[in-house]
Amino acid sequence: MLRWLIGGGREPQGLAEKSVQTLGEEQTQNPYTELLVLKGHHDIVRFLVPIDDYRFASAGDDGVVCLWNAQTGEKLFELHAHTQKITAIAAFPVAHAFEEKCHMILTAGADRAVIVWDCDNGRQIHKVSCFHSTVKCLTVLQRLDVWLSGGSDLCVWNQKLDLLCKTSHLTDSDISAMIELPKNCVAAAVGKELIILRLKSSKDGTEWDVFEVKRLLDHQDNILSLISISDLTFATGSHVGELIVWDALDWTMQAYECNWDASLHVDPQQEIKLSHSQNKISIQHLASDEKCVFAAVGKGIYVYNLQMKRVIAFQRTAHDSTVLHITKVPNRQLISCSEDGSVRIWELREKQQLTAEPVPSGFFGIWGFGRATKQANNTAKKAPESTTVYSLDLTGDLIGHSSAVQMFLYFGEHGLATCSADHLIILWKDGEQESRLRSLMLFHKLEQSEDLQLGI
């Protein structure tokens, strides 16, 4: 186990970086003070997928799939079968009647093959290589006990890799992402179009069909992120910074946001100067806790409240480069990672701000502009009211990777797993918790030793 020295490795390199929040050497609110470096890949590691509460799989451009123990960092299995890079991966837990749940993973590669693996023994179960193009995404529909592959078309498969049905050629673009919707429907992102498809099966499950229901053409550019928010809503984010929240039942638009700077009803002293170049407003990733959508927009991160239908907190320059992944974790914290090689921890904080009168609607009213002649009278007549102001404050900066951090997984008490273009996976551990565990193990060994001596 290595002890990580917090605070080093990041120096300002230009004027643009001065706006990025930094922490001193004493990161008192950052629990991740120890790390384990996991070596198993020899090219970019792009994917991490959880298998259960303590295991996960990694995959990337070397075509290798590794299974890891998140608690100890032990490499459980190294799976070799793909001849080119991995393009998609998904976990497929299966529970048979009167049997324990078994865990499988699906992997798709640029070799136009999809393989089913048994996570408990590391063996290849099935392989299919009949695809006309590379599979870009995999989605498991546990309720229907089938899984979908998306590329130039959408295919529906069972556990044994029997092809149940497929769509005809949808568009000139490939399917880049899919999510499950109610009523046996699926939303598929194809370029800038969102296609709703419905699955239908016979009562005995022997005959299946998939057909297009509707096309949503509201995005102006390619959809880069597609997430499920709840059973009733889902969201999409595009290359030009469009966030759309959809009704999952009738597929109507519930909310739309693209002008991020105009929606920022926050501290007026903060300088808001968003660039309009597409690479700086592109939504690379979305996450949600059903109350808010957390958006990685260019170099920044934004918290969009679904009830208020506006941004309530943001960091316009959260990283030095494009943010690739964002997730909400317990204790009102967010974690983000970036092309700059860093992983950063943020806390969403709220404070009560006293106002002389109820906050009216409208941008100028929010900051109390207008009606200046009446303000003194209103202040005298009404007791001060409070409004909630939110902020995103940096509480941890994890510098361990030497290249872009592609994504991460949060394992609660077992820590945080990150993967990078530097070919490495890092397990970040809570230093205090790990120290307690080592002390308990030592005391346990001493007790065993004393028991053995007394027995002799």
Side-chain angles (χ1 to χ4, degrees):
M1 178 73 72
L2 299 175
R3 171 66 66 173
W4 183 241
L5 300 178
I6 300 293
R10 182 189 294 272
E11 294 293 337
Q13 297 177 0
L15 295 176
E17 296 185 5
K18 291 184 179 180
S19 60
V20 178
Q21 275 195 32
T22 57
L23 290 173
E25 293 185 3
E26 295 295 330
Q27 296 189 26
T28 57
Q29 299 180 72
N30 179 11
Y32 300 114
T33 56
E34 294 189 5
L35 60 81
L36 284 170
V37 178
L38 311 184
K39 296 180 179 180
H41 294 275
H42 55 269
D43 210 330
I44 299 173
V45 187
R46 298 188 185 274
F47 304 104
L48 299 175
V49 61
I51 298 171
D52 50 30
D53 291 339
Y54 71 96
R55 293 183 298 172
F56 68 96
S58 62
D61 289 3
D62 58 4
V64 178
V65 181
C66 295
L67 305 187
W68 306 90
N69 183 312
Q71 184 175 9
T72 65
E74 176 189 2
K75 180 162 61 174
L76 305 173
F77 299 104
E78 190 171 303
L79 314 178
H80 296 265
H82 287 287
T83 58
Q84 296 184 45
K85 68 179 182 179
I86 306 293
T87 55
I89 184 170
F92 195 174
V94 180
H96 298 287
F98 309 109
E99 293 183 12
E100 293 184 1
K101 179 183 289 187
C102 63
H103 294 86
M104 301 188 300
I105 56 171
L106 306 166
T107 57
D111 54 5
R112 299 186 181 183
V114 171
I115 301 174
V116 183
W117 307 89
D118 188 324
C119 296
D120 298 321
N121 56 32
R123 295 177 181 174
Q124 177 180 316
I125 301 175
H126 299 290
K127 179 179 180 178
V128 61
S129 303
C130 62
F131 298 96
H132 299 297
S133 64
T134 300
V135 172
K136 302 291 181 60
C137 54
L138 298 166
T139 299
V140 175
L141 308 183
Q142 282 188 258
R143 187 176 56 82
L144 298 177
D145 204 23
V146 298
W147 60 274
L148 314 177
S149 63
S152 59
D153 49 24
L154 183 147
C155 300
V156 183
W157 309 80
N158 61 16
Q159 292 179 36
K160 299 179 180 179
L161 263 67
D162 296 323
L163 179 60
L164 302 177
C165 59
K166 63 182 294 186
T167 63
S168 56
H169 188 70
L170 294 174
T171 66
D172 293 335
S173 301
D174 288 343
I175 299 172
S176 59
M178 296 182 291
I179 59 167
E180 182 178 7
L181 298 179
K183 300 180 180 180
N184 295 346
C185 290
V186 174
V190 186
K192 61 182 179 180
E193 297 182 8
L194 193 62
I195 303 178
I196 309 298
L197 303 114
R198 177 171 280 128
L199 278 70
K200 187 177 181 181
S201 66
S202 58
K203 291 184 178 180
D204 58 4
T206 57
E207 296 183 5
W208 288 76
D209 189 21
V210 57
F211 53 94
E212 183 178 325
V213 178
K214 192 173 184 179
R215 292 199 179 206
L216 306 175
L217 309 176
D218 299 271
H219 277 291
Q220 302 301 309
D221 209 328
N222 289 343
I223 298 170
L224 301 184
S225 185
L226 169 63
I227 63 162
S228 176
I229 296 174
S230 67
D231 292 338
L232 301 176
T233 53
F234 66 102
T236 51
S238 80
H239 182 61
V240 291
E242 303 161 302
L243 168 67
I244 300 181
V245 180
W246 306 90
D247 188 298
L249 297 176
D250 61 12
W251 320 303
T252 56
M253 188 188 301
Q254 299 297 300
Y256 180 90
E257 182 62 69
C258 69
N259 195 8
W260 295 96
D261 52 345
S263 67
L264 298 173
H265 300 165
V266 291
D267 187 347
Q269 295 180 355
Q270 295 196 41
E271 184 180 6
I272 303 170
K273 292 181 180 179
L274 285 184
S275 170
H276 293 285
S277 60
Q278 289 186 0
N279 62 329
K280 293 188 177 182
I281 62 170
S282 174
I283 299 179
Q284 294 292 328
H285 190 243
L286 295 173
S288 177
D289 64 354
E290 297 190 11
K291 296 180 181 178
C292 295
V293 172
F294 310 97
V297 185
K299 298 179 182 180
I301 56 176
Y302 296 78
V303 181
Y304 183 88
N305 186 283
L306 292 166
Q307 183 177 5
M308 300 179 186
K309 294 187 178 181
R310 67 174 178 85
V311 173
I312 61 170
F314 79 110
Q315 277 293 333
R316 183 176 64 87
T317 310
H319 290 263
D320 292 324
S321 299
T322 301
V323 181
L324 299 178
H325 198 82
I326 186 171
T327 293
K328 170 79 159 32
V329 295
N331 301 319
R332 301 177 66 84
Q333 290 187 325
L334 301 179
I335 302 177
S336 59
C337 67
S338 166
E339 288 181 345
D340 63 14
S342 70
V343 181
R344 315 196 91 187
I345 305 170
W346 310 85
E347 184 176 345
L348 181 63
R349 294 172 178 167
E350 61 180 67
K351 56 183 178 180
Q352 297 300 315
Q353 179 172 299
L354 293 179
T355 57
E357 56 183 351
V359 178
S361 59
F363 181 83
F364 293 102
I366 284 176
W367 308 124
F369 299 142
R371 295 188 296 176
T373 57
K374 298 181 180 180
Q375 187 170 357
N377 294 332
N378 288 341
T379 304
K381 293 178 181 179
K382 299 179 181 179
E385 296 189 10
S386 63
T387 57
T388 303
V389 178
Y390 297 87
S391 65
L392 277 175
D393 297 329
L394 183 64
T395 59
D397 198 0
L398 309 181
I399 310 296
H401 289 288
S402 61
S403 191
V405 180
Q406 303 293 319
M407 66 171 297
F408 53 83
L409 290 178
Y410 176 74
F411 280 99
E413 64 179 10
H414 297 320
L416 185 72
T418 59
C419 66
S420 170
D422 62 10
H423 312 174
L424 299 178
I425 298 165
I426 295 181
L427 280 181
W428 304 87
K429 295 288 188 177
D430 184 325
E432 292 185 1
Q433 179 177 283
E434 293 299 307
S435 180
R436 288 194 299 269
L437 290 174
R438 285 192 292 269
S439 297
L440 289 173
M441 290 177 63
L442 178 60
F443 289 140
H444 183 63
K445 288 181 179 179
L446 291 173
E447 288 177 354
Q448 287 182 328
S449 178
E450 290 176 0
D451 291 341
L452 286 174
Q453 290 179 358
L454 290 173
I456 295 173

